[in-house]
Amino acid sequence: MTNSSSSIIVECLQVATVVFLAPLFTGWVRLLKCRAQARTSAGLLQPYRDIYKLFFKEVALAENASWIFRFTPYMVFGATVMAGAIIPVISTRAPLSATADIIALVAIFALARFFSALAGMDAGTAFGGMGSSREMMVASLAEPAMLMSVFTISLVNRSTSLSQMTHVIVNSPIMLRPSLAFALLAFALIAIAETGRIPVDNPATHLELTMIHEAMCLEFSGRHLALIEWAKGIKLLLFASLGIALFAPWGMATGGTLQSLVISYVTLTAKLAVIGVAIVLIETRLAKMRIFRVPEFLGAAFLLATLGMLSYFMLE
Amino acid sequence: MSHELAIEINSLLAALILLTSFGLLVQRRVYGLLHIFAWQGVFLSVSTAIVGYSAGLNHLYISAAMTLVIKVFALPYILYVLIHKLRIKKEVEDMVNIPTTMLIGIAVVIFSYHLTAPIRELSTLMTRSTLAVALSTVLLGLLMMITRKKAVTQIIGFLALENGLFFAATSATYGMPLVVELGVALDILIAAFIFGMFFFQIRTSFDSLDLKEMEKLKDLD
């Protein structure tokens, strides 16, 4: 098997993994959360059942909804899968990751969010517009912090290409770097905000006053809703894998051999399981904060990311 | 412990000290401030001990122990008792809002990095890179004193500033002579008692610990 064809196989494998593993990860987080709160859970596979069910439901469209509303679910799902092809999840050598660096990755997520916000306003309900406005407020504060945190990691590894950065981290000795510690903290705060978890947004709520992401997606139904929910699951998985790729990629395959891929899958599963536990601990311990506290929360993320960058120059 | 590892741990501690300085700037609750201040003392003490170990200077151990006793236990305890007796329960009141203070803080850090860059080039000590952090801790303490209205938070700012000075001494010259350090430590301790008396005095004269009250002349009311 030639090198290029094996890397294409790895790439396809990775996209398939991301797309089909995402509901399982969502199910794992929900299961743990139910256990932590002494509730009976619907099972690990419930997200698959939900998505399957939604695909066979009728789509109810608002009378004055335009093409944007119908196009958005496909756009959001497509952009999220595209991001899944760029982030090194199982192997650092994915051919598509050369097409986009980490700045483009942030832009792809922003594109999906832009269309979601448009669709939220498109149906003409009050909740949709409110959700879009809140989502954009969170996004406008989270993105600079995200870029700042990512630039810190880029500075340390001297590249903005994700696969290159991951490759450098895998092959370099473990060092105590204050800049990376700050960047990790900032990244964790941003990931919470970007994936709409507690304390920024509650993924399980449909209460008018508190929902952010859900308010925007309230009008979707049938297969559209299935795609939106699925994309949401993939995004959660992707942020977890992005965190793994940037801060703890050890065990990830650097080539395309079968043995390294198996090791990669095992370590990925273990790391994701741990991240799921961390998410549940955070969500169970903290209450959702007031929406006007969110700018301060993201301001703290920006501060941490900036401190990371400064400490790279000052201390390393 | 190798020399490289000592440097790495020391810069990590310096980063944590910088983080606690920002923590003091953004914390809204008075008891929260005390906790962060105590943590800053812990990091400072560990950092001093590590510098003492890898530079082979025994007097730094005494400094580290003194920092631990005075800045982690004694001063927060005295302030805690004071706050409890003065029944301060309100959130910290600041003159500039917190996000703006944070941005000014970042600018201050960049400024001190530029200011210490020449010294960093000249120095040959293992702690030379932490000097910028030390100077920014001093300036952030100063910033805290400027932007707060209440006397208690200004005192915490002052003590954080002193922490910065101590850290600067360790990173620039491996610490001051022991006699000087003993004197400073004693001064700080006595200052805390005097501050306490001042707090009561200020409150009985003005019915408030808000120092804005002091700018008015009493007879004009």
Side-chain angles (χ1 to χ4, degrees):
Chain A
M1 199 158 34
T2 61
N3 199 19
S4 68
S5 71
S6 88
S7 63
I8 288 169
I9 292 171
V10 168
E11 178 78 64
C12 295
L13 199 64
Q14 169 172 327
V15 174
T17 308
V18 166
V19 170
F20 292 105
L21 203 71
L24 188 68
F25 184 55
T26 311
W28 167 245
V29 172
R30 283 191 196 157
L31 178 100
L32 283 175
K33 203 171 172 184
C34 286
R35 289 281 159 81
Q37 298 172 351
R39 290 185 284 134
T40 317
S41 81
L44 203 57
L45 301 177
Q46 186 59 31
Y48 289 105
R49 289 185 213 119
D50 284 345
I51 290 168
Y52 179 78
K53 177 189 76 185
L54 282 170
F55 267 115
F56 290 98
K57 290 242 177 186
E58 193 189 346
V59 173
L61 279 176
E63 270 175 31
N64 47 2
S66 70
W67 64 272
I68 290 179
F69 189 78
R70 272 168 281 138
F71 176 63
T72 295
Y74 304 102
M75 179 71 217
V76 170
F77 189 76
T80 317
V81 173
M82 176 74 199
I86 295 166
I87 298 172
V89 179
I90 55 167
S91 167
T92 61
R93 214 172 282 166
L96 263 180
S97 65
T99 57
D101 62 359
I102 197 150
I103 303 165
L105 180 77
V106 175
I108 288 172
F109 280 126
L111 187 69
R113 180 183 281 119
F114 174 70
F115 270 90
S116 305
L118 279 189
M121 292 187 285
D122 194 49
T125 61
F127 284 145
M130 192 184 70
S132 300
S133 126
R134 287 179 176 177
E135 177 92 358
M136 278 299 141
M137 182 193 83
V138 172
S140 65
L141 294 164
E143 261 165 39
M146 169 100 179
L147 280 176
M148 197 60 116
S149 150
V150 155
F151 282 152
T152 308
I153 310 158
S154 298
L155 270 172
V156 173
N157 300 309
R158 309 202 177 279
S159 167
T160 57
S161 153
L162 269 167
S163 54
Q164 179 63 28
M165 280 153 75
T166 313
H167 201 79
V168 171
I169 302 170
V170 169
N171 292 320
S172 56
I174 299 173
M175 269 179 78
L176 275 176
R177 282 182 181 275
S179 55
L180 284 185
F182 280 133
L184 173 64
L185 275 176
F187 183 81
L189 296 186
I190 298 153
I192 287 171
E194 287 265 345
T195 53
R197 312 297 302 189
I198 293 172
V200 173
D201 186 9
N202 186 351
T205 188
H206 282 91
L207 185 72
E208 301 89 351
L209 293 172
T210 58
M211 56 186 175
I212 300 177
H213 185 84
E214 289 303 319
M216 213 168 46
C217 309
L218 213 53
E219 294 296 316
F220 288 110
S221 54
R223 59 176 185 278
H224 291 166
L225 184 60
L227 284 177
I228 292 274
E229 290 285 323
W230 199 350
K232 198 177 158 193
I234 297 174
K235 195 176 177 187
L236 181 65
L237 177 75
L238 282 182
F239 266 89
S241 348
L242 186 61
I244 292 172
L246 292 177
F247 298 103
W250 298 287
M252 194 182 282
T254 48
T257 61
L258 194 64
Q259 194 195 0
S260 64
L261 282 181
V262 170
I263 295 174
S264 188
Y265 268 109
V266 171
T267 50
L268 180 73
T269 316
K271 286 172 195 167
L272 284 178
V274 172
I275 289 178
V277 174
I279 292 176
V280 169
L281 282 182
I282 293 170
E283 294 213 322
T284 314
R285 277 191 62 96
L286 296 179
K288 189 188 168 305
M289 65 174 96
R290 286 193 297 141
I291 188 121
F292 295 113
R293 279 285 162 90
V294 173
E296 264 177 40
F297 176 83
L298 290 169
F302 183 77
L303 174 75
L304 284 169
T306 316
L307 284 184
M309 187 177 269
L310 287 174
S311 57
Y312 171 76
F313 287 115
M314 293 197 304
L315 299 170
E316 287 166 20
Chain B
M1 189 160 56
S2 73
H3 191 65
E4 262 69 44
L5 187 66
I7 291 178
E8 273 175 33
I9 293 176
N10 196 41
S11 34
L12 192 67
L13 286 166
L16 286 171
I17 289 172
L18 191 60
L19 184 67
T20 46
S21 307
F22 273 98
L24 289 174
L25 272 185
V26 300
Q27 177 61 256
R28 286 170 190 277
R29 292 170 198 283
V30 187
Y31 290 117
L33 279 179
L34 285 185
H35 283 141
I36 299 176
F37 176 73
W39 275 110
Q40 191 173 47
V42 172
F43 298 137
L44 195 61
S45 161
V46 175
S47 160
T48 313
I50 284 175
V51 172
Y53 173 81
S54 57
L57 295 169
N58 288 332
H59 79 93
L60 282 180
Y61 290 130
I62 302 171
S63 303
M66 232 157 47
T67 310
L68 195 67
V69 172
I70 293 177
K71 282 169 190 159
V72 182
F73 297 110
L75 283 179
Y77 179 73
I78 294 170
L79 285 172
Y80 177 85
V81 170
L82 270 178
I83 290 166
H84 197 71
K85 280 195 177 154
L86 290 164
R87 288 193 201 84
I88 302 168
K89 288 208 177 68
K90 278 185 194 163
E91 293 191 336
V92 173
E93 288 169 40
D94 42 12
M95 298 209 265
V96 185
N97 70 10
I98 284 177
T100 319
T101 323
M102 231 152 68
L103 289 179
I104 298 173
I106 291 173
V108 161
V109 176
I110 297 172
F111 173 71
S112 32
Y113 171 66
H114 271 280
L115 212 59
T116 52
I119 305 172
R120 187 181 162 156
E121 298 296 317
L122 285 174
S123 172
T124 52
L125 304 184
M126 64 169 270
T127 50
R128 64 185 178 279
S129 55
T130 55
L131 191 58
V133 174
L135 186 62
S136 24
T137 312
V138 172
L139 291 178
L140 288 173
L142 194 63
L143 183 65
M144 189 175 161
M145 289 177 76
I146 295 169
T147 54
R148 298 299 155 92
K149 280 182 193 164
K150 292 286 166 76
V152 180
T153 40
Q154 292 193 355
I155 294 308
I156 296 175
F158 171 75
L159 294 172
L161 190 152
E162 205 279 329
N163 272 354
L165 280 177
F166 181 83
F167 192 50
T170 318
S171 41
T173 60
Y174 285 159
M176 294 175 266
L178 194 56
V179 183
V180 179
E181 261 169 36
L182 279 173
V184 171
L186 199 64
D187 274 355
I188 287 285
L189 206 55
I190 290 176
F193 287 115
I194 296 174
F195 291 144
M197 277 182 257
F198 264 125
F199 287 161
F200 284 105
Q201 202 64 45
I202 291 169
R203 206 180 53 167
T204 41
S205 321
F206 297 98
D207 287 331
S208 156
L209 277 176
D210 194 333
L211 299 185
K212 277 271 168 196
E213 302 279 328
M214 286 188 176
E215 291 172 10
K216 294 181 206 145
L217 287 176
K218 246 189 169 177
D219 295 340
L220 292 179
D221 285 340

